Amino acid sequence: MAAFMKTTQLLRLACFNREFVSHNNILQRNYRTFRRTPIKVHPPLNEYESSKSVEEYINAAVVTSLNQSKAKTKRNYIDQKPKLSETPVAEIGKDIAKYKPDIKYETVMKIDLKTKGLLTAAKSRKHRYEQQVFMVEGSRLVDEALIAGVHPKTILFSQRESLKKLKSLNSTPAQNLDGLPLVKAPYKQLKLWSSLTTCPGVMGVFSIPTSHPKLRPRLPLTVILDEIRDPKNLGGILRSLAAVGAEQVILTKGCCDPWDTKVLRAGCGAHFHLLIHTSVPWSTLSNYVNENYSIYIADVCRENWNTNNFNNINFSLIGAQNEKIREINEKGEEKIIDPSYDDESVLKKFKSVQFKSYIYDSVNYITSSKTYIALIIGGETGLSNSSKKFTLENGGVQVYIPLEHAESLNAGAATAVVVYEIHRQHRLSKDTSQFNISVNT
């Protein structure tokens, strides 16, 4: 009994020396110790144990307790670590790793400063054109850009399975993939730079194309967009123009940025198959559309308009025939500037100009006198005075889509209707044999 009491005292002293136990827990533990009924009969201490002092027992108890605490902490730390057999080679070190024998990528835990600079520039309209970069998200858009031959600055992804969705990587020879800037980063890092509610886990920064894509022969059609401010409308228009194979698209000042992420998503890769000119002022538009173009302007046909005759407008009276300025740019090319498009007093006089109007499918767009076609599409607020002035000075006419129970069509839908009619006539002029088909009903 004396030995039992001595052991109890030692345990009490050991409990008081535990640094990691709070004062309240010590009192509760001691209280439970005195009230607990022993379930084991302790044998009497031998001569060696009885010769130990009380301090030795206390020190031994404290050391044992600390060792058990350290062992428990170490065991929990080891359990939280992933097993080496399940850890990819790329995640063990920040080295160049392989997803396939032909594809190499770099794994990082944080996006570096250079890549952050590219992402920041791509998300800002001002810096986007300074560095000539844009950003796309999702496997489909990244794949479309790579297939079209757009130069990639960096391609970020969070899972190795995302590379399987990129058909361009699987079909490209191994020797052409060595310089591809593939970077594997954590999903949380990609989420910080994503403009979507749910980050797709794949994004890329590419250089803005400055040359014409090398594709099959194109439709000799140039579309001039006038104050298209809705990103979805602009993306839908570009998608329709890429489908018919238009030669180029000119966005005048006032249109939204075609390389914005919303427009890129709505376009579904159409940007990579078109030659796009952005923020072109009307004063310099004659450098892109010359006398070899037939000009057509699409707008709603008003009931009070005279659709059979032109209004006789005296340009000398309204001051429309200003002298044009010719300049030489840095490349040695001549540039024509018409300053009358910057004079609001002149443009206001074109507000009520009336054009000779035709139904869109009654016009013969493929003529021998003119080689190219230029189609002007107005935005949500209608056609600007500058577009009316340009059409009238270049002898253009108006085309319209007859409507039954609606005042107007969406700009994207109207563009698709008119350009597919132009595409149909162009195909018919090239090969008429495929249209000589008789159907017996």
Side-chain angles (χ1 to χ4, degrees), residues 200-215:
V202 180
M203 62 179 61
V205 180
F206 295 82
S207 299
I208 295 179
T210 56
S211 59
H212 206 293
K214 297 179 181 180
L215 296 175

Side-chain angles (χ1 to χ4, degrees), residues 217-228:
R218 292 182 168 273
L219 181 69
L221 172 64
T222 296
V223 176
I224 304 169
L225 301 181
D226 181 28
E227 297 183 357
I228 303 293

Side-chain angles (χ1 to χ4, degrees), residues 1 3-5 7-8 11 33 36-45 49:
M1 188 66 181
F4 174 74
M5 294 299 296
T7 305
T8 305
L11 291 175
T33 302
R36 186 181 297 120
T37 303
I39 59 174
K40 182 178 180 181
V41 178
H42 295 273
L45 299 175
E49 291 178 347

